[in-house]
Amino acid sequence: MEVGLKRLVKKGIGEMGFTKEGGAINWFPGHMASATRAIRERLKLSDLVIEVRDARIPLSSANEDLQPQLSAKRRVIALNKKDLANPNILNKWVRYYDSCKQDCISINAHSRSSVRKLLDLVEFKLKEVITREPTLLVMVVGVPNVGKSALINSIHQTALSRLPVQEKMKKATVGPLPGVTKDISGFKIAHQPSIYVLDSPGVLVPSIPDAETGLKLALAGSVKDSVVGEERIAQYLLAVLNIRGTPLHWKHLNDRVEQACRDSEDKHEYNLKDLRPKKRNPPNLSDMLYIEDLVSQVQRALYISLSEFSGNVEDENDLACLIELQFEVLQKALKIPQKASEARLMVSKKFLTLFRTGKLGPFVLDDVPGTNSQG
């Protein structure tokens, strides 16, 4: 099935132009160019590097331009967002890097226990340096939106209970969009020895010529949606779901959702944008029930459309027809008016929000380790 997906990307979505203007992804704002230069300079001074990657796509979320310099340093690869990854494939990646003698750990940047384990590993890696260096630098790097700044904040909180910090600690800026951190900032987290953690902006390579890698990064939120186009990203997500048969695992929702449909008319409208991380009160019970019903409606719609599909999902023409049908059923499931002027765009945005907030489950997007894996 992975062969079919690669063929689809190359012959179908790729040829259609997986950026809005067609061709390779080229999103390299001015701040990324200057940030890349600054990162290279600071890497020379760093005693250890934490390279944060998306746990779902450990290979695609690596900045290939920086790999020669990163691999020459003491490095820990932190596979973040493990709660969104397929645990079986994630374990294979950890074993793969272990076989390559590369320290690797899967984490959830919002989990204190995960961060403790990461700090334990960092402390172990720095043990030989701590005895002879009064000041140590740990640099956190990675492509946009892999959770670097969230990890920095968690390190601050965890360090309070582990390390003798004497100064008030600032927090790194965290946001749901790639490119929030625009400069390299240092955060002191300990004395004797003094340990500084350096946060850095997420930087991509100047161009991403491989369509599949580009689409995976776009789906994971490492490239701004407007660069590739929300509809194109949603097409790719539907292609992945269909080729892997993921909606067929949602069969059990059918009867439950039919009952929910009969009871849902009285439920109020709820904006999916409120799912995105920001300072707000947690949703009340009715909000949570509404989102649960909405997710069930979406999963049920995709299950029915795929289970009743008589074509071959390995054929790019058949798959394209199925995806067109699914845009229609998703519009109804997401309660978007039929005559909405930008209905497909609205469907795409809401569908992607459900995926990115983990509502569709963890078994959607991934790299699979193999003989061509590099790290």
Side-chain angles (χ1 to χ4, degrees):
M1 286 192 176
E2 295 301 323
V3 174
L5 182 57
K6 291 180 183 295
R7 188 173 64 244
L8 168 80
V9 171
K10 183 177 180 181
K11 295 185 178 180
I13 296 177
E15 284 186 357
M16 293 166 64
F18 74 101
T19 66
K20 291 192 296 184
E21 293 78 23
I25 284 181
N26 188 356
W27 183 52
F28 200 66
H31 79 270
M32 279 198 188
S34 59
T36 300
R37 290 192 295 271
I39 288 172
R40 290 185 187 279
E41 289 302 313
R42 284 164 176 76
L43 278 173
K44 297 176 184 177
L45 305 175
S46 300
D47 298 287
L48 183 139
V49 178
I50 299 175
E51 185 186 0
V52 186
R53 301 186 188 180
D54 190 311
R56 297 166 293 180
I57 47 172
L59 190 59
S60 299
S61 59
N63 186 318
E64 289 301 322
D65 281 5
L66 290 175
Q67 288 309 304
Q69 199 164 358
L70 292 174
S71 61
K73 306 291 295 185
R74 290 183 188 85
R75 175 175 64 167
V76 173
I77 295 178
L79 303 180
N80 190 30
K81 305 183 182 181
K82 70 176 186 178
D83 53 313
L84 299 179
N86 183 325
N88 294 325
I89 295 178
L90 182 56
N91 289 335
K92 290 181 181 179
W93 272 111
V94 173
R95 290 196 297 269
Y96 166 76
Y97 283 116
D98 183 60
S99 70
C100 297
K101 308 301 180 184
Q102 168 60 61
D103 291 287
C104 177
I105 183 172
S106 60
I107 66 168
N108 177 346
H110 299 287
S111 165
R112 184 165 294 186
S113 62
S114 271
V115 177
R116 284 199 193 102
K117 291 178 181 177
L118 174 61
L119 288 177
D120 286 342
L121 180 56
V122 168
E123 189 175 299
F124 176 78
K125 294 286 290 181
L126 286 175
K127 201 168 186 179
E128 62 184 45
V129 190
I130 286 176
T131 57
R132 63 176 185 269
E133 294 289 343
T135 301
L136 300 174
L137 295 180
V138 176
M139 192 165 187
V140 182
V141 301
V143 303
N145 210 36
V146 291
K148 301 178 304 300
S149 295
L151 177 59
I152 288 285
N153 289 341
S154 292
I155 287 176
H156 287 167
Q157 294 300 317
T158 304
L160 284 172
S161 61
R162 292 171 51 96
L163 303 170
V165 181
Q166 298 175 3
E167 296 180 0
K168 184 178 180 180
M169 298 178 296
K170 298 178 181 178
K171 286 189 175 182
T173 301
V174 180
L177 298 176
V180 169
T181 308
K182 292 292 193 294
D183 197 5
I184 295 177
S185 304
F187 302 88
K188 193 171 187 177
I189 64 169
H191 292 275
Q192 300 177 353
S194 295
I195 299 178
Y196 288 85
V197 173
L198 302 182
D199 190 17
S200 62
V203 291
L204 290 168
V205 294
S207 180
I208 305 171
D210 176 65
E212 188 176 11
T213 297
L215 286 165
K216 285 181 178 181
L217 287 170
L219 185 53
S222 293
V223 177
K224 283 186 177 179
D225 288 348
S226 58
V227 175
V228 180
E230 288 89 345
E231 291 182 39
R232 184 73 68 230
I233 303 171
Q235 275 185 312
Y236 177 69
L237 175 54
L238 286 169
V240 173
L241 287 169
N242 290 323
I243 287 179
R244 295 182 179 176
T246 303
L248 298 179
H249 297 293
W250 298 332
K251 181 179 180 180
H252 65 282
L253 297 169
N254 203 28
D255 294 337
R256 181 162 64 90
V257 173
E258 284 185 353
Q259 179 61 43
C261 287
R262 292 190 285 269
D263 299 334
S264 64
E265 293 182 358
D266 296 332
K267 288 189 167 54
H268 66 279
E269 293 297 321
Y270 187 82
N271 193 340
L272 280 177
K273 289 182 180 179
D274 291 336
L275 287 172
R276 295 174 180 168
K278 62 181 181 179
K279 291 183 179 179
R280 71 180 191 93
N281 294 326
N284 59 37
L285 181 59
S286 63
D287 291 335
M288 296 172 67
L289 290 175
Y290 178 83
I291 295 299
E292 182 181 347
D293 288 346
L294 189 66
V295 172
S296 297
Q297 292 276 8
V298 167
Q299 291 177 319
R300 177 172 178 264
L302 294 180
Y303 159 71
I304 292 175
S305 62
L306 181 57
S307 62
E308 295 180 351
F309 180 60
S310 59
N312 179 10
V313 294
E314 293 284 334
D315 180 271
E316 55 266 21
N317 294 322
D318 286 355
L319 183 57
C321 292
L322 174 60
I323 290 174
E324 286 300 308
L325 171 64
Q326 289 175 328
F327 266 101
E328 295 178 10
V329 299
L330 283 174
Q331 183 174 345
K332 182 177 180 181
L334 292 167
K335 301 177 176 60
I336 296 172
Q338 292 294 324
K339 295 183 179 180
S341 59
E342 296 184 338
R344 283 178 68 93
L345 180 59
M346 294 170 66
V347 168
S348 300
K349 287 184 175 181
K350 290 191 173 186
F351 186 48
L352 291 174
T353 297
L354 288 177
F355 163 72
R356 288 167 177 165
T357 52
K359 302 301 181 183
L360 296 181
F363 311 124
V364 177
L365 177 67
D366 55 57
D367 285 333
V368 179
T371 54
N372 294 326
S373 300
Q374 297 177 8

